[in-house]
Amino acid sequence: MTALRTASSAFRQSISRASLASTSTAGIRAYATSQENASEPTFGTTTTRINVGAEIRRYDGKGVPRLNSTRNRISIHHSHLWNKGPFKHLTIPKRKTGGRDQTGHITTRFIGGGHKRRLRTVDFWRLYPGVHDVIRIEFDPGRSAHIALIRRRQGTSDMTAEELEKWAEERAEESKFKVPRQAALSQKAGWSYIIAPDGLRAGDTVQSFRRGIPDGLVDGWTNNPQNGEEVSPRALGLLRTATLKPGNVLPLYLIPPGQIIHNISFTADGKAKAARSAGCSAQVVAHHNKDGEALGGLEVLTMGSQYDEFGNLSKQRGWVLVKMSSGEVRKFSPGAVASVGTVSNKEWQHINLGKAGRARNLGRRPAVRGVAKNATDHPHGGGKGKGKGGKQAHSWKGKLARGVRTRRPYPMDKHGNRMVVTQRPRGPHSGQRKK
């Protein structure tokens, strides 16, 4: 109770008198409270580091009016988030479609209206090496996770924006690696957005080791080791100690088993596509060679799929097993990259909008239940009362829903996903049709 009263008093000092009417000691839930730690000003800003967790706020309890708009509302407050607009050069306007295609027909239901938005161009490639300073952590209306605005430090601190953009173009022309157009657009004169991992704050630094380890980072490390004899076990251990930090990007063959990762790419030269939502993470399970035998120590350096000095990928000679958040274990290329840590804003799952108006502000239109419709409009419609006639659950298009398997995995189906090693756990009756 003492800690709760302390958290509530600190919270009351930070809000206006008008908002005190809808807040009480019982209505404040301090979630992951910690003290603020000040540090030196960050690169390009005067913001100090704040190590404050999230607060889950409920508007109930003694002294709080029982309003329809707040009785069920649950909101999340992050004191470290940037409270102003985004970096406009890294945003594009979102054109609303209302769920309709070019002919005007509705192709996606329950979409329409909502507040005006600008899409943030997030860098899912992380191709540019060097130290990047975290300027601030921002809220992104287009995704559940938070994003971090970062700026490249190496060789760019004394340049103007025009000089910096020209320098980046020259480096891209001199580079031997091919940069996708979308990856180039996600960088503006050394500035970019990334998915913020849990615990990342303004003033921290992140790096990308996607194109290899820079010379001189670790004593005894070879930039492109093709066999275990060129690198000592001590150098590999020092490398992992220096690089396994939240927000850093590494190839999967350099990440040890048991490490928590996110933002995983499926190929060595593709963008991150897996484990990107708020609170999501995956875990490296093992490293296997092409015969399925486990590898350890310096043997992981022989798995191939590494870039040489000419920008070419070596032949792949193994797989990295990763356990996804669903429990599924699947194979990834050793050269595929991932970010260290867990995606931020893990408290997002507790949000309750509380009223329909907030959903409409998010661009969500009402959804009518199938049992409330006529039989001609939905498989669950018609009949008397709320029953659906004892039918198996169907979608509005007539396809089976709720636990029924729609395809068979490999090798049962030759067109199944061959990368899946272990299927995700399911319930005892999952995949069975109702008799």
Side-chain angles (χ1 to χ4, degrees), residues 28-65:
I28 302 172
R29 303 292 188 265
Y31 192 93
T33 56
S34 59
Q35 299 296 326
E36 298 185 1
N37 297 330
S39 62
E40 295 295 328
T42 62
F43 175 76
T45 182
T46 57
T47 306
T48 56
R49 179 182 174 90
I50 301 178
N51 281 333
V52 179
E55 291 181 358
I56 300 180
R57 296 179 178 176
R58 300 175 184 268
Y59 299 86
D60 59 3
K62 185 177 181 180
V64 179

Side-chain angles (χ1 to χ4, degrees), residues 6 15-16 51 71 80 96 109 111 113 119 149 168 205 207 246 256 267 271 276 279 294 297 319 333 344 351 424:
T6 304
I15 58 178
S16 61
N51 281 333
R71 68 172 71 241
H80 65 276
K96 295 185 180 296
R109 305 182 302 165
I111 291 180
L119 299 176
L149 179 65
T205 59
Q207 297 189 59
T267 59
K271 73 173 186 178
R276 303 191 327 192
W319 298 96
S333 170
S344 57
I351 293 179
R424 62 181 176 88

Side-chain angles (χ1 to χ4, degrees), residues 20-310:
L20 285 176
S22 61
T23 311
S24 68
T25 303
I28 302 172
R29 303 292 188 265
Y31 192 93
T33 56
S34 59
Q35 299 296 326
E36 298 185 1
N37 297 330
S39 62
E40 295 295 328
T42 62
F43 175 76
T45 182
T46 57
T47 306
T48 56
R49 179 182 174 90
I50 301 178
N51 281 333
V52 179
E55 291 181 358
I56 300 180
R57 296 179 178 176
R58 300 175 184 268
Y59 299 86
D60 59 3
K62 185 177 181 180
V64 179
R66 295 284 292 178
L67 303 177
N68 291 335
S69 59
T70 58
R71 68 172 71 241
N72 296 318
R73 179 180 174 183
I74 301 176
S75 59
I76 310 298
H77 175 70
H78 298 272
S79 59
H80 65 276
L81 290 183
W82 178 250
N83 57 3
K84 298 181 181 179
F87 192 76
K88 197 168 184 179
H89 297 285
L90 292 173
T91 62
I92 56 176
K94 180 181 180 181
R95 307 301 181 187
K96 295 185 180 296
T97 62
R100 292 164 171 83
D101 59 7
Q102 64 272 17
T103 64
H105 297 134
I106 296 179
T107 56
T108 307
R109 305 182 302 165
F110 317 135
I111 291 180
H115 198 280
K116 186 183 296 184
R117 295 182 182 180
R118 293 188 68 88
L119 299 176
R120 278 66 167 172
T121 55
V122 180
D123 184 11
F124 290 111
W125 282 268
R126 305 287 298 274
L127 297 178
Y128 298 94
V131 179
H132 289 69
D133 292 277
V134 179
I135 305 302
R136 62 194 186 216
I137 309 297
E138 297 183 11
F139 166 79
D140 187 355
R143 67 187 71 252
S144 58
H146 295 157
I147 56 177
L149 179 65
I150 61 175
R151 184 183 183 185
R152 184 172 179 174
R153 178 193 299 179
Q154 183 177 356
T156 62
S157 57
D158 297 331
M159 297 183 184
T160 62
E162 293 77 9
E163 294 175 345
L164 190 59
E165 188 171 359
K166 183 179 179 181
W167 174 84
E169 293 177 355
E170 293 175 354
R171 287 293 301 273
E173 294 177 358
E174 296 173 0
S175 176
K176 301 172 184 178
F177 304 104
K178 296 181 180 180
V179 179
R181 182 175 181 275
Q182 292 182 347
L185 293 177
S186 62
Q187 288 262 350
K188 293 291 185 181
W191 298 80
S192 62
Y193 277 123
I194 64 171
I195 296 293
D198 190 26
L200 192 70
R201 296 292 184 270
D204 294 344
T205 59
V206 294
Q207 297 189 59
S208 176
F209 303 97
R210 180 164 198 167
R211 296 303 192 188
I213 307 301
D215 297 333
L217 181 66
V218 175
D219 294 337
W221 179 264
T222 303
N223 191 31
N224 185 33
Q226 294 297 328
N227 55 70
E229 299 178 357
E230 299 180 1
V231 178
S232 64
R234 176 180 178 273
L236 180 59
L238 291 176
L239 175 68
R240 288 173 171 172
T241 303
T243 57
L244 289 176
K245 298 178 180 179
N248 286 356
V249 177
L250 285 168
L252 290 179
Y253 73 90
L254 288 178
I255 301 178
Q259 179 64 46
I260 302 299
I261 57 177
H262 68 282
N263 258 16
I264 313 170
S265 68
F266 290 98
T267 59
D269 55 353
K271 73 173 186 178
K273 296 183 179 180
R276 303 191 327 192
S277 298
C280 286
S281 64
Q283 186 177 24
V284 178
V285 176
H287 301 79
H288 286 179
N289 59 16
K290 60 181 181 180
D291 298 326
E293 300 175 353
L295 302 177
L298 298 178
E299 295 177 339
V300 299
L301 305 180
T302 64
M303 301 181 68
S305 192
Q306 305 171 18
Y307 282 101
D308 58 16
E309 57 183 351
F310 301 105

Side-chain angles (χ1 to χ4, degrees), residues 325-401:
S325 58
S326 64
E328 175 184 285
V329 178
R330 60 173 296 140
K331 296 186 291 186
F332 284 86
S333 170
V337 296
S339 300
V340 180
T342 306
V343 182
S344 57
N345 197 19
K346 59 186 178 181
E347 300 84 8
W348 176 83
Q349 60 179 330
H350 303 295
I351 293 179
N352 190 338
L353 299 182
K355 61 178 183 178
R358 297 188 70 196
R360 297 305 297 266
N361 292 337
L362 296 176
R364 306 173 189 172
R365 298 189 68 244
V368 181
R369 296 172 295 117
V371 295
K373 297 181 179 181
N374 296 325
T376 185
D377 298 322
H378 199 279
H380 297 170
K384 297 181 179 180
K386 296 184 178 180
K388 57 179 183 293
K391 301 177 183 178
Q392 172 74 14
H394 287 71
S395 69
W396 68 280
K397 291 186 176 181
K399 293 185 178 180
L400 293 173

